[in-house]
Amino acid sequence: MFADTLDGLDASLFLVDTDGRLIHANTAGQAMLDASDVLLELRGVLMACDSTVSQTLRQVFAAAGRGDQAHGINGLAISMIGLDGERHVAHVLSLTSGMRRNASAACSAVAALFVRKAALTILPRSEALRNAFKLTPAELRVLAIVELGGVPEVAAALGVANTTIKTHVRRLFEKTGAARQADFVKLVAGYATPLRKPAECRQSVGATR
């Protein structure tokens, strides 16, 4: 049940021991390992394709195993660039501090590594946004401006005129109270879901070791 819950996360999740050995990967994490362009598993050890990042991960996992919080493990962000040039960011959560130390006493995992692509993503059918600001289906589709970057790009993607997109954007600004696109992007980011798209939520393929 716990594994199924982790498989619902949009972020790739890896549980590792103090030597970086992979204990568990959720579905998104296993997909990332299969792609082998950001992280990979070599002889059971979680490694980054970038050797410098791999060294950093080894140091962080070892520190987590010692319960060493001087390195600021919790909340630590690590930048990664995949072989395809895409940027990712990883966050490490120590499992050997505070109450987690006792909770995981019988588990070999000392750290949880969360990895996500460094991109602003949001489901275009977001119920929360739609209900909060009474957005129309057309206005929800225009939320693509957050990811695509501008009116021409959104118009091309949706196959409509620039003027149509501008009209929807103006209405979005009026409804949300945003004064500029940067404010709107921040607002949308606040409603981003940490869960995977329903179509992607399938039976777990994460390997528990």
Side-chain angles (χ1 to χ4, degrees):
M1 184 181 297
F2 181 62
D4 289 343
T5 300
L6 297 180
D7 285 339
L9 296 177
D10 182 50
S12 297
L13 169 65
F14 308 93
L15 300 180
V16 298
D17 69 9
T18 187
D19 295 318
R21 284 191 293 269
L22 186 62
I23 305 301
H24 179 79
N26 68 351
T27 298
Q30 188 61 50
M32 179 173 285
L33 292 176
D34 292 341
S36 299
D37 57 359
V38 180
L39 293 170
L40 51 85
E41 181 185 0
L42 185 61
R43 299 187 185 90
V45 176
L46 183 67
M47 303 180 66
C49 294
D50 184 311
S51 59
T52 301
V53 175
S54 274
Q55 182 178 2
T56 299
L57 290 177
R58 286 196 298 270
Q59 293 172 346
V60 171
F61 297 154
R66 297 191 301 267
D68 185 357
Q69 294 304 301
H71 294 284
I73 295 172
N74 290 334
L76 175 66
I78 302 172
S79 177
M80 300 180 176
I81 300 180
L83 298 180
D84 57 0
E86 294 286 351
R87 293 183 177 274
H88 295 72
V89 60
H91 295 274
V92 183
L93 175 66
S94 172
L95 302 178
T96 58
S97 62
M99 294 182 65
R100 291 194 297 272
R101 178 186 296 274
N102 295 328
S104 61
C107 179
S108 57
V110 300
L113 181 71
F114 299 85
V115 184
R116 289 195 66 176
K117 185 177 178 181
L120 182 60
T121 57
I122 185 167
L123 294 178
R125 58 185 176 277
S126 172
E127 295 292 328
L129 271 173
R130 187 188 70 179
N131 295 335
F133 301 104
K134 297 179 173 57
L135 303 182
T136 66
E139 289 166 347
L140 282 173
R141 287 194 295 272
V142 173
L143 289 178
I145 196 171
V146 170
E147 293 184 339
L148 298 180
V151 169
E153 291 81 4
V154 175
L158 298 181
V160 299
N162 286 0
T163 52
T164 300
I165 299 301
K166 288 180 179 178
T167 298
H168 288 312
V169 170
R170 183 174 66 252
R171 290 174 180 169
L172 282 171
F173 279 21
E174 291 173 354
K175 288 184 176 182
T176 62
R180 7 166 236 161
Q181 186 171 330
D183 297 332
F184 181 65
V185 168
K186 290 179 181 178
L187 174 68
V188 173
Y191 282 84
T193 174
L195 304 180
R196 308 182 72 201
K197 295 179 182 180
E200 295 176 346
C201 291
R202 58 186 182 277
Q203 184 176 0
S204 172
V205 296
T208 301
R209 292 158 173 82

